[in-house]
Amino acid sequence: MQTVDNSKPEADRLNIGACVVLLSSREVHGPNARKVQRLTPKSLGVLLALARRAGQVVTRDELFADVWPDTMPTNDVLTQAVTQLRKVFAAADGGDDSTPYIETIAKTGYRLLAPVVWDDVDTTGATMEGSEIAAEAAPRSDAASTISTKPARELRRRLRRHVLLAVGLVLLTSTVVMAWLLWGRMSPEAPTDEVDASGTRVVGSPARPYRLITSNAAFETNPTLSPDGALVVFAKEAEGRSTLWIQSTGSTPPVALVATPADASDRFPVWSPDGRQIAFARFLPHAGCEVLLVSATGGDARRATRCDGTDMLSFSWSTDGRSLLFGSMTGAYASRGIRTLELASGRWSSLSYEMGADDSDYAPQYSPDGSRIGFVRNPQVGDLWVMDADGGNAKWLTNDAAEIRGWSWLHSDEIVFGRRVDSESRLYRLDVATRTLRDMGVDDARNPTVSRHGGNLAFMRDRPQFGLFRVPLKEGAGQRVRLFASSGRDSQPMVSPDGSQLAFTSDRSGTFALWWGRLAEPDSLRVVEGLRPEARQPMDWSGDARSLLVSGRDADGLPGIYEVMPEDGRWKKLAVPVREPLQAIYGGTPGTLLVVERGDEERMSLTLFDRTQTPWKRLASLEGVSQARLDRAGDRVLFTRLGSSGLWQVKPDLAAGSILPVNKEVPTRWRYRTWAVTGNGTVGYMSIGAGCASQFSVIVGDGASRCLDTDKFSSGNGMSLAPDGSAAFIALGIAEGADIGVMRVPKRAPRSVLGVGKWLPWLEKPLS
C-alpha cells in the first residue's frame, strides 16, 4: 500500500491564528504579548502534530506516537503540554481565553481551531509545491522553461522513492535480526508447579519491587540513606515524640542514633556526602529549634544553627560536605529564599534568584554533580523547580499544583518524588531535560531518598485507613460516633449548613469519588457518579444546603469547579474563566462566587466573580491566598495566605481596605486546610499537640482546646464543624502505621535511537 504524505513542508515560521511560531527557537510572538513566550520541546512537538492536521481531531494515541515514540508516558505528560500551549497562546493573543486555539474532544483527543499558515520553506521556489505553483502562474511565453524543469522533478521524485525504500529495507532487516536474537536468548518455559482444572498454570502474587525493613506499630518516617546504600537513618514517631534510629538495609534491628531529651523531638535526618555525619533538626518546647550534627557512629551532637519558630524547615548537604543548604525559613531566623550555611565559619550566604513576594522554596538539594539545585516551590500547592547552582536559569519542571511529598535526585538529570494522587501518594521519576514523567509502580509511598553510590532507594510506605467521625466538643456531650463506616479511605467530611447532610470523598468503591448521605438515614448514602473530585481543597455548601461546590478534574486531567446537587446525583462543570481554579466558595450575595486560582507565573489569588453574566465578570481580586471560607454570621471572608502562617479576614467584596489579621500564628502554612467555621462565626483548628495526635483548638472564639485523640491522627485535607459548634466532623486514622521500604534504583528507560533503543538492554549493549 502506498502512503501519500500531503502534509505541508515545515518552515521555520508557522502562523497560527494571530500568533507567529519560530520553530528553531520555540518562540511564540503575538500582537498583545508582553514578552516573548517560549515552548518546551514536547509542547512544540504536540503543536506541530496538531498543525499538520489543523481542524481535524488528533487522538491522544496519535500524539503519543508522534511526540513520545518508543516510550510509555502518562496522560499527565500530554495534558501538561496542551496546558502550556493554551497558556502561551492566551498570553500572546490577549491574555485570556476569549480566542480558543485548542479544543478538547472528550475521551478522544484534541483539535487545533485556529487557522494555520505555513511560510514558504524557500522563497526562491525550491520546494516541489512552490515550483509547481510558480510554473502555473508563469506567463505563456515561459512555457518552454517550465517544461524543461519536469525531467529534473521526476528525477528527484524517483530518487526520493528509492531512498525511502532502502531505509525501509534496512529497518525491516534490523527488526528481523533483533527478533531472532531475542528468540534465541529466551529461556525454556519453567516446569509447571501447579495447574488448575483447565490445565492453566497457577502463579503467586507478583513480587513487589521493594521490601520493608521495618514493620512495627510505630511511625517510621523521613529516611536517609548512607552514600553506599548500606545503612538507613529514620525518625520514629511514638508516644507524642520523635527519635532517630539507624539500621542496615537488611533486616537487622535498629539502634538509637542519638539520645533525645525527654521534652524534645528529633526529625529530618540527612546523611553527609562522605558518610561520616548526619545533620538533623531537634524541636524543643516553646517553639525552640536547632539543627545539629552527629557522627554516623553516634555520640554527642553539636549545634550547627538555631531555627526557632520555623514551621517549614528543610535542609540538605552541599556536594563537598562543607555547608548546609536551607530552604525558606520563618520564625526568628527567617529567610525568604534559599541560602547556604558554611559549617566551619557559621557564615550564611543567600542565593540571588527570581522569586515572587509570596513564594516559599522548600527542600532544596544539589544535584549529584553539584551543577544544579532542585527544590519545591510553595509546597502547599507545589511544583518541582530547578536552577543553576549559582541561582541562575530557574525554571519549573512540573506545573500541576500537586502535593509533592518528598523528592530526591536519582541522577544529575533525573528526579524521583512522591505525589498525592486521589487518596494515596505514589512515586514518580522525572526526566529533567524532557520533563517526561513515569509512574514507578510504587503506591502509598512518599519521602524517597537515594544513595549517592550504592544504587539503593528508600522511602516511607504509609497505608492509613481513615474513618469519618462526629466528635462532641463539649465535656459530657456524649461519645464520638463513626459515620458511614467502610473499609476504604474516607476524608474531607463537610456537613451541610442545616446539619442534616454530609458530603465526603472516599475510595470505598474502588475508585476515588464524591459521596453524600443524610446523617439520620444511613441507607441514603450514595456515590455521585461520573465526577472525579480533587483532594486538595474542601467543598463548600450553599446557604440553603441544596448544592455544593467541588474542585475536580475532567477526562483530560484539567482542573475545574463543579456544582453538585447531591440529593439528585446531578452535577455540572462551571464556566469559571480562569486557567487553573483550585477552590470555589459561594459569595456573600446571590450570583457571586469566590475562586482561589493559580494564574500566570503560578501566582495564587482569590477572585470574586459575578456568575450571572456571560462570560463571568471579575469584580475584585486578592493575591497570595491559599484557602478561603465564608463566615456568613460575621459578613466576612476568612482566608489563609500562601506566604505566611495565620488567619486573615476581608469583606465579601474583597475591598482592599477591609483586610485585617485574625490570628497571626495559626493555621500554619503546613496545616492551612485543617480549620473550619461554625454558623455563629467560631473558628476551630486541628493540629498535633504535645502528647496529642489530634488536638482541637478554638482560634476565633473562647479559645477552648481539647485533645480529641491521643494516638490517632486526623486527616490534613479538610474538616467541618456543626452549625452550632457542638461537634467536629473529622477523618481519623483507624488503621495507621508507616514503615521504611528499600529497593534498587530501577534502570532508566533508554532514549530512542532510530526506534530500537528500547531493545538494547535485552541485548546487553551499553547505552551511550
Side-chain angles (χ1 to χ4, degrees):
M1 177 179 178
Q2 184 180 4
T3 301
V4 178
D5 182 6
N6 57 7
S7 62
K8 191 78 173 176
E10 295 176 7
D12 189 54
R13 290 172 58 90
L14 174 62
N15 299 278
I16 298 182
C19 300
V20 176
V21 182
L22 300 182
L23 304 184
S24 59
S25 60
R26 307 195 308 276
E27 295 179 350
V28 178
H29 299 260
N32 299 304
R34 290 178 294 178
K35 62 179 181 179
V36 175
Q37 306 290 318
R38 177 168 278 113
L39 299 171
T40 65
K42 293 302 182 183
S43 294
L44 180 61
V46 172
L47 177 62
L48 290 175
L50 295 174
R52 293 190 193 103
R53 286 165 278 183
Q56 303 177 28
V57 177
V58 184
T59 68
R60 301 178 74 91
D61 289 340
E62 290 172 333
L63 290 170
F64 282 135
D66 284 352
V67 185
W68 291 273
D70 303 312
T71 61
M72 293 184 293
T74 62
N75 285 332
D76 290 345
V77 176
L78 177 56
T79 300
Q80 188 178 24
V82 173
T83 300
Q84 195 210 15
L85 289 173
R86 286 176 169 149
K87 175 183 175 182
V88 166
F89 281 116
D93 193 23
D96 55 36
D97 296 328
S98 59
T99 304
Y101 276 75
I102 299 175
E103 177 186 14
T104 298
I105 308 301
K107 300 181 180 181
T108 303
Y110 301 94
R111 176 166 53 194
L112 185 61
L113 300 179
V116 175
V117 178
W118 297 84
D119 282 6
D120 290 339
V121 177
D122 189 344
T123 57
T124 65
T127 66
M128 194 69 65
E129 295 180 55
S131 298
E132 293 173 353
I133 293 172
E136 291 176 3
R140 290 294 181 180
S141 60
D142 294 337
S145 62
T146 302
I147 293 174
S148 66
T149 63
K150 290 183 178 181
R153 288 202 303 269
E154 291 298 329
L155 179 60
R156 287 196 296 270
R157 288 174 179 170
R158 285 197 299 270
L159 180 60
R160 183 174 61 182
R161 284 197 295 268
H162 284 92
V163 170
L164 292 176
L165 179 60
V167 172
L169 289 174
V170 170
L171 291 177
L172 178 61
T173 302
S174 64
T175 301
V176 172
V177 170
M178 289 180 181
W180 177 76
L181 290 172
L182 288 174
W183 176 80
R185 289 173 53 85
M186 292 176 62
S187 60
E189 183 178 354
T192 301
D193 298 323
E194 297 181 60
V195 295
D196 63 13
S198 65
T200 302
R201 185 182 179 190
V202 178
V203 297
S205 300
R208 292 173 176 170
Y210 61 88
R211 57 189 174 84
L212 299 178
I213 62 172
T214 63
S215 57
N216 55 49
F219 281 79
E220 286 89 12
T221 65
N222 301 119
T224 178
L225 280 170
S226 60
D228 61 2
L231 297 172
V232 61
V233 173
F234 56 86
K236 181 187 292 187
E237 304 274 352
E239 299 178 352
R241 58 194 293 263
S242 177
T243 54
L244 298 184
W245 297 74
I246 184 171
Q247 76 171 75
S248 73
T249 50
S251 299
T252 58
V255 296
L257 174 69
V258 64
T260 305
D263 59 350
S265 285
D266 292 340
R267 295 188 175 94
F268 310 141
V270 187
W271 217 300
S272 66
D274 60 8
R276 297 179 179 179
Q277 298 183 88
I278 295 163
F280 65 95
R282 175 166 290 171
F283 295 91
L284 303 164
H286 310 297
C289 173
E290 54 188 3
V291 177
L292 304 175
L293 304 178
V294 66
S295 170
T297 58
D300 294 333
R302 64 182 179 89
R303 182 193 295 169
T305 187
R306 297 198 63 87
C307 45
D308 296 346
T310 187
D311 67 341
M312 295 181 72
L313 181 64
S314 62
F315 53 88
S316 63
W317 289 84
S318 62
T319 53
D320 60 9
R322 297 178 180 177
S323 59
L324 293 177
L325 185 68
F326 282 79
S328 299
M329 289 176 61
T330 58
Y333 300 88
S335 173
R336 286 191 58 246
I338 297 172
R339 55 181 177 164
T340 60
L341 171 66
E342 186 178 326
L343 295 175
S345 64
R347 185 175 66 249
W348 289 95
S349 299
S350 296
L351 288 177
S352 178
Y353 65 101
E354 185 177 351
M355 62 184 302
D358 296 313
D359 286 339
S360 176
D361 293 338
Y362 183 74
Q365 298 180 42
Y366 283 102
S367 60
D369 63 6
S371 65
R372 290 185 284 190
I373 295 174
F375 58 94
V376 180
R377 173 154 288 178
N378 301 325
Q380 308 98 315
V381 282
D383 284 306
L384 283 162
W385 283 64
V386 68
M387 65 183 175
D388 296 338
D390 61 0
N393 196 29
K395 59 183 179 181
W396 52 266
L397 298 176
T398 62
N399 188 27
D400 51 10
E403 292 183 47
I404 305 295
R405 299 194 166 185
W407 77 278
S408 181
W409 289 97
L410 272 174
H411 312 282
S412 290
D413 58 356
E414 194 173 18
I415 282 171
V416 57
F417 67 97
R419 181 178 71 165
R420 183 185 176 113
V421 180
D422 296 335
S423 61
E424 65 170 336
S425 179
R426 301 182 63 85
L427 291 187
Y428 293 83
R429 59 193 305 171
L430 175 68
D431 188 304
V432 174
T434 65
R435 300 183 186 175
T436 302
L437 193 67
R438 290 185 176 87
D439 192 314
M440 295 180 63
V442 184
D443 56 356
D444 294 305
R446 56 193 294 187
N447 299 115
T449 177
V450 179
S451 60
R452 293 178 63 88
H453 312 300
N456 280 346
L457 184 153
F459 59 91
M460 169 184 164
R461 186 174 185 265
D462 187 13
R463 291 181 59 87
Q465 179 188 348
F466 285 92
L468 305 180
F469 290 86
R470 182 187 184 277
V471 185
L473 296 178
K474 296 181 179 179
E475 297 291 343
Q479 300 296 316
R480 68 186 183 200
V481 178
R482 188 172 179 185
L483 308 170
F484 305 118
S486 78
S487 59
R489 299 178 186 178
D490 303 330
S491 62
Q492 298 177 290
M494 295 296 148
V495 66
S496 61
D498 60 7
S500 67
Q501 308 168 66
L502 191 73
F504 60 95
T505 57
S506 176
D507 64 355
R508 59 175 59 202
S509 64
T511 58
F512 191 67
L514 177 67
W515 289 77
W516 168 90
R518 291 191 175 277
L519 291 171
E521 304 171 24
D523 292 339
S524 66
L525 184 66
R526 69 184 64 171
V527 65
V528 178
E529 298 284 356
L531 176 62
R532 180 184 170 187
E534 268 283 3
R536 293 178 297 182
Q537 296 280 10
M539 297 160 273
D540 186 59
W541 283 94
S542 61
D544 58 11
R546 294 182 178 178
S547 62
L548 70 158
L549 298 173
V550 181
S551 60
R553 291 187 178 269
D554 61 18
D556 293 316
L558 299 177
I561 301 297
Y562 297 81
E563 189 165 36
V564 182
M565 283 58 72
E567 190 163 9
D568 301 329
R570 295 183 295 110
W571 55 269
K572 62 180 178 180
K573 186 176 182 179
L574 300 181
V576 184
V578 301
R579 179 176 65 87
E580 192 172 4
L582 301 180
Q583 183 203 5
I585 62 175
Y586 289 99
T589 57
T592 61
L593 248 62
L594 288 152
V595 178
V596 176
E597 62 170 311
R598 198 169 76 144
D600 292 339
E601 299 180 354
E602 284 62 64
R603 307 299 299 163
M604 297 276 289
S605 61
L606 176 66
T607 302
L608 176 65
F609 286 101
D610 179 356
R611 63 184 294 195
T612 64
Q613 302 187 38
T614 304
W616 292 13
K617 182 179 180 181
R618 289 177 179 258
L619 301 178
S621 187
L622 178 63
E623 288 196 352
V625 175
S626 57
Q627 188 177 104
R629 308 278 180 95
L630 178 65
D631 174 15
R632 293 183 174 89
D635 189 33
R636 59 182 179 173
V637 174
L638 298 170
F639 64 93
T640 54
R641 289 187 181 276
L642 193 64
S644 62
S645 299
L647 188 68
W648 303 73
Q649 72 176 32
V650 66
K651 286 292 186 182
D653 62 359
L654 304 188
S658 65
I659 300 175
L660 294 171
V662 176
N663 190 307
K664 294 184 179 181
E665 297 181 358
V666 291
T668 66
R669 288 185 292 173
W670 271 129
R671 302 186 65 86
Y672 73 103
R673 297 176 298 183
T674 60
W675 59 283
V677 187
T678 67
N680 59 17
T682 299
V683 179
Y685 175 60
M686 293 294 301
S687 62
I688 301 173
C692 182
S694 295
Q695 181 81 33
F696 176 83
S697 304
V698 176
I699 60 175
V700 178
D702 59 14
S705 181
R706 181 184 177 190
C707 182
L708 302 187
D709 200 291
T710 57
D711 302 315
K712 295 180 172 60
F713 291 93
S714 62
S715 173
N717 65 335
M719 59 168 288
S720 61
L721 298 173
D724 61 359
S726 61
F729 292 82
I730 60 177
L732 279 176
I734 57 176
E736 296 182 287
D739 297 305
I740 304 301
V742 175
M743 62 187 288
R744 295 294 293 172
V745 173
K747 292 182 179 180
R748 64 193 311 168
R751 292 171 181 170
S752 173
V753 181
L754 294 179
V756 299
K758 61 182 179 181
W759 298 102
L760 295 179
W762 287 83
L763 300 177
E764 297 183 347
K765 294 182 180 180
L767 291 175
S768 57

